[in-house]
Amino acid sequence: MDIFSKNLIPVAMSFILLSACSSENSEQSTKTTSTKNQSSIALSNKAKSSLGKVDLLITNGTVYTGESSDAQSLDLAICGQMICGMYATGAYKIEATTIIDAKGKVVSPGFIDPHTHSLAELLSKDKNENLNYLTQGVTTVVNGNDGGGPVDVQATVNRLNANGIGTNVALLVGHGSIREQVMGRAERFATPEELKEMSLLMTTAMESGAIGLSTGLYYVPGSYANTDEVIALAKIASKFGGIYDTHLRDESTFNIGFTAALDEAINIVDKADIHLHLAHIKALGVDVWGQSKQAIEKVEQAQKRGISISADQYPWLASGTKLRSAVMPKWVMADSKVAFHQRLNQTDLAAQLAREITENIRRRGGPESLAITEFKDKSLVGLNLQQVSDLKKLSVVDTAIWMVQQGDVRVASFNMSPKDVENFMVQPWVVTSSDGTNGHPRKYASFPKKYQSYVVEKKLLDLATFINKSSSQTAKILGLEDRGILKQGYKADIIVFDEQAFAPKADFNQWNKYSVGVEQVIVNGKLVIENEKYQHILAGEFVH
Ligand SMILES: [Zn+2]
C-alpha cells in the first residue's frame, strides 16, 4: 500500500491548521525541510511558507487513528490542545518545541473508560492525577455510574476545576443518588410529587453538563424503583441528547433474571427514545452461564428494530463489590444502616435471612468464589469466605453477617464463565471499561489486561480493534465529539506505547500496582507522562 497517497488529504489539511498555530509562535522562525518522499505530495510554496513551529511532534510512530483498521506511518503535530497536523512520516521536517521519537512504538488515541469509580480520587489532594488510569493509557474517565455519584453536577464540576485533575472526566447523574436525596432509602415506588422533584434535579444535572442518566437497579435504593420512574428520568436525559447507562436490575437470577432485566432496559430506552448503554455486561453466576448467547440475540433484535444499544465490559472473570451487595437480600438493607444491622440480629428473621444469603452465595459459585479484598482485619484479606468461616468456626451465613456488621467488606466475586466473557467481547457494540474499585486489579490494569489476554495471548481481537473499542467507539457512545480519534481538529489526547511492554502488573494478590508499557501520555496537548514518568501536570478537563 502506498502510505503517502493514502494520506494525501490529511497532509494538505494539516497545513491549513498549522498556519493558525504558527501565529502563536510568530517570533520563531519557520522552517520546512522536505525529505526524499516529498515528490509524492504536491504542496504549494505558499502552504510551505505558512508552516510554523508546533508545540509537540510525534514522529516515526505506527499510528492507529481509532477509526481505521490499519496501522499508518504518520507524524502528528500538536498545537496547544489540538492535533493540528497529520502527515506521512518524514515527509516534512517540522520544527517543534518537543519532539517524541515513536519509532517502533504504537501511537493511539488516549483510551476512554466509560465506567469508573474514580471521583473521590479526582476530588482528592493526593490522588487527583488519576495515575492508575494514566498508566493504563486512559486519558478520559466517566464517573457517576451504577446510579451513584453526585446529584449536584455543577458543584462537582466547580470542585474538579478548582482542584485540578490528571485525566479528563465526564459525569453521568445517578438515579440512585437522586432518589435517595428525595426519598431516602424508602422501599416503595415514588409518589407523583417525589417524581416531580426527582425530575427537577435531573434537569438541573443535564443543564450542568451531565452526559446522561445512570441507574443501578440491582442496588439499594435504585432497586426499589419501578420501570416507569426510570423512564420518566430517562426522557429528560434524552431531551438533552444524553444516554441511558444501566447496571441492570439483574445480571443473574437474583430477582427478575438476566434476560428479563435486559428486556426492562430495552423497554426503558424504547419509551424514552434514548441510547442504551449496558454497564459491564456479564452473565453473573452459575445459573446464567451460557446466557451470553440469548443476551446478544436480544440486543441484536432490538438493534434491528432501530434501538441504539452499546455495552462496556471489563476483562476479568471476577466482579468486585461489597459483601453486603453480593449476598444480602435487598429488603434487609432498607431504610437505614441502623435498621439493616438490627434486622441482621432479629431472631424472627434469621431463618429467612439464612435461606436467602445461602442462595445468593450459591448463585455466585459458593463461598470459595468470594475472595475478601478489603476488611478492617487485614489478616482476613486474601482469604475466601469459606476459609474465613473455617477460621472463625462460624457457619458461612453467620460469617457473612458478622463481617458486614464490622464495616465495609469488599469481595472479588469469581462468577463469570470465560466463554461468556469472550462472546461479549467480540461484539461490535461492546467497548472496554474498568469499573475500577478498590481491592480489584481492574482499577489499575483493565486496559493492558485486555490487551495482553485477548489481543496478544488469545488473539481474540486484533490491535486496531482493541484500540478502536477503547477510544473512538467509546467517544461516540458518550457523545464526546472531538475526542477518541487521531484527527486534525481533535483534542490531543494521545498515548504512545510499546507493543511488547504494555502489560498489567496488578492481580488479585496485589490489586494496586501500576501498569507498564505506556511510555508517553498526552492529555489536552500536554505531555503528562514522559518516558513512563509522571510529570506532575494536571491537564485533565471536565468534558461533555
Ligand atoms: Zn455496576
Side-chain angles (χ1 to χ4, degrees):
M1 189 190 297
D2 181 350
I3 191 82
F4 298 112
S5 62
K6 189 175 168 186
N7 291 294
L8 191 59
I9 293 168
V11 170
M13 277 178 66
S14 74
F15 286 92
I16 298 163
L17 286 148
L18 277 171
S19 63
C21 179
S22 68
S23 63
E24 294 171 25
N25 300 298
S26 53
E27 77 282 6
Q28 278 144 357
S29 65
T30 301
K31 190 181 164 198
T32 309
T33 310
S34 301
T35 70
K36 59 182 181 295
N37 295 316
Q38 87 179 107
S39 58
S40 62
I41 300 166
L43 260 184
S44 70
N45 285 330
K46 190 163 180 273
K48 277 184 197 174
S49 65
S50 67
L51 178 59
K53 189 171 179 179
V54 304
D55 295 318
L56 192 55
L57 181 70
I58 306 172
T59 183
N60 292 325
T62 303
V63 177
Y64 290 83
T65 61
E67 287 188 306
S68 170
S69 56
D70 298 315
Q72 301 178 60
S73 298
L74 298 173
D75 289 348
L76 273 72
I78 293 142
C79 307
Q81 292 203 335
M82 315 296 282
I83 298 172
C84 54
M86 286 170 61
Y87 48 94
T89 294
Y92 301 97
K93 188 175 178 190
I94 292 190
E95 273 193 79
T97 309
T98 307
I99 296 174
I100 295 168
D101 185 356
K103 191 170 170 51
K105 309 291 155 102
V106 171
V107 181
S108 146
F111 297 146
I112 299 173
D113 190 336
H115 194 116
T116 80
H117 298 278
S118 56
L119 193 59
E121 280 93 348
L122 291 171
L123 290 170
S124 76
K125 281 289 165 215
D126 56 340
K127 289 185 173 150
N128 50 336
E129 72 275 11
N130 224 7
L131 202 51
N132 57 303
Y133 281 104
L134 288 174
T135 46
Q136 296 182 61
V138 173
T139 52
T140 300
V141 297
V142 173
N143 273 285
N145 304 76
D146 292 332
V151 172
D152 191 340
V153 169
Q154 190 57 55
T156 309
V157 172
N158 295 346
R159 285 176 65 200
L160 289 165
N161 287 340
N163 197 43
I165 49 178
T167 60
N168 300 311
V169 62
L171 295 175
L172 292 158
V173 61
H175 159 251
S177 301
I178 287 181
R179 188 177 221 271
E180 186 151 1
Q181 182 159 326
V182 173
M183 52 191 291
R185 293 191 186 182
E187 189 182 3
R188 58 174 176 79
F189 298 154
T191 64
E193 290 71 31
E194 285 165 339
L195 190 54
K196 204 172 155 193
E197 207 179 321
M198 284 191 235
S199 299
L200 283 173
L201 292 170
M202 183 70 208
T203 302
T204 306
M206 291 306 293
E207 283 170 350
S208 307
I211 58 166
L213 171 69
S214 85
T215 59
L217 298 183
Y218 171 72
Y219 295 110
V220 173
S223 59
Y224 301 146
N226 60 10
T227 307
D228 286 343
E229 176 179 322
V230 182
I231 292 172
L233 298 181
K235 278 182 177 168
I236 297 168
S238 171
K239 207 172 76 185
F240 286 89
I243 62 168
Y244 175 65
D245 176 296
T246 182
H247 179 139
L248 292 171
R249 197 178 289 274
D250 198 351
E251 298 173 314
S252 186
T253 54
F254 288 110
N255 47 75
I256 59 175
F258 179 34
T259 55
L262 201 46
D263 284 334
E264 183 190 31
I266 291 168
N267 178 34
I268 288 167
V269 299
D270 195 14
K271 299 266 166 57
D273 189 23
I274 190 169
H275 175 82
L276 170 60
H277 184 76
L278 301 161
H280 46 53
I281 194 163
K282 69 172 89 67
L284 189 163
V286 290
D287 294 346
V288 295
W289 280 4
Q291 286 192 14
S292 55
K293 190 171 176 287
Q294 289 96 308
I296 290 163
E297 279 167 11
K298 232 176 230 313
V299 168
E300 286 175 347
Q301 280 163 12
Q303 286 171 332
K304 278 190 195 124
R305 298 204 309 274
I307 295 173
S308 177
I309 306 180
S310 59
D312 64 74
Q313 180 194 40
Y314 52 83
W316 308 88
L317 299 179
S319 63
T321 190
K322 289 179 179 156
L323 181 62
R324 67 160 190 265
S325 302
V327 305
M328 293 293 160
K330 300 293 175 258
W331 58 264
V332 196
M333 294 188 274
D335 305 319
S336 69
K337 193 173 162 185
V338 173
F340 168 39
H341 285 196
Q342 269 169 6
R343 288 186 195 106
L344 291 179
N345 295 327
Q346 234 171 294
T347 46
D348 58 325
L349 297 175
Q352 189 191 349
L353 198 53
R355 225 176 16 251
E356 294 192 32
I357 292 172
T358 303
E359 178 62 3
N360 287 344
I361 292 172
R362 180 201 63 76
R363 283 189 177 96
R364 289 181 174 267
E368 297 85 0
S369 73
L370 293 166
I372 312 302
T373 59
E374 274 202 346
F375 188 58
K376 68 176 193 184
D377 178 355
K378 300 282 177 259
S379 73
L380 301 184
V381 171
L383 301 182
N384 66 48
L385 191 59
Q386 183 63 58
Q387 290 169 321
V388 178
S389 152
D390 294 343
L391 201 73
K392 292 280 161 190
K393 299 190 170 40
L394 288 171
S395 72
V396 167
V397 166
D398 286 342
T399 305
I401 291 174
W402 171 74
M403 289 189 89
V404 300
Q405 286 180 312
Q406 305 303 305
D408 273 353
V409 193
R410 293 204 71 96
V411 290
S413 169
F414 290 83
N415 57 42
M416 281 171 259
S417 106
K419 189 71 201 143
D420 285 324
V421 170
E422 291 176 21
N423 281 348
F424 285 129
M425 194 177 287
V426 297
Q427 299 309 312
W429 41 271
V430 175
V431 301
T432 317
S433 68
S434 70
D435 192 11
T437 47
N438 287 350
H440 194 301
R442 62 190 182 180
K443 185 167 177 172
Y444 279 68
S446 284
F447 288 74
K449 163 75 175 170
K450 182 167 173 176
Y451 170 72
Q452 276 297 335
S453 294
Y454 298 98
V455 178
V456 177
E457 287 161 31
K458 293 179 196 274
K459 298 186 173 29
L460 193 69
L461 304 173
D462 62 28
L463 178 56
T465 306
F466 163 70
I467 288 172
N468 298 354
K469 279 175 174 291
S470 305
S471 56
S472 61
Q473 276 185 243
T474 317
K476 200 168 169 217
I477 291 165
L478 302 176
L480 304 177
E481 284 170 0
D482 56 356
R483 295 181 193 272
I485 303 175
L486 300 182
K487 199 173 187 175
Q488 283 98 342
Y490 275 59
K491 286 284 166 64
D493 294 338
I494 306 170
I495 57 172
V496 179
F497 66 91
D498 184 313
E499 266 184 272
Q500 265 71 50
F502 185 40
K505 284 286 170 193
D507 58 24
F508 286 99
N509 294 317
Q510 254 201 300
W511 62 273
N512 54 356
K513 291 184 85 175
Y514 292 120
S515 298
V516 294
V518 177
E519 297 183 353
Q520 324 290 340
V521 179
I522 294 154
V523 177
N524 293 311
K526 292 271 187 327
L527 188 55
V528 300
I529 287 185
E530 185 173 4
N531 301 324
E532 291 209 51
K533 293 222 164 49
Y534 177 57
Q535 299 299 304
H536 300 278
I537 297 168
L538 298 169
E541 291 180 348
F542 171 67
V543 298
H544 57 96

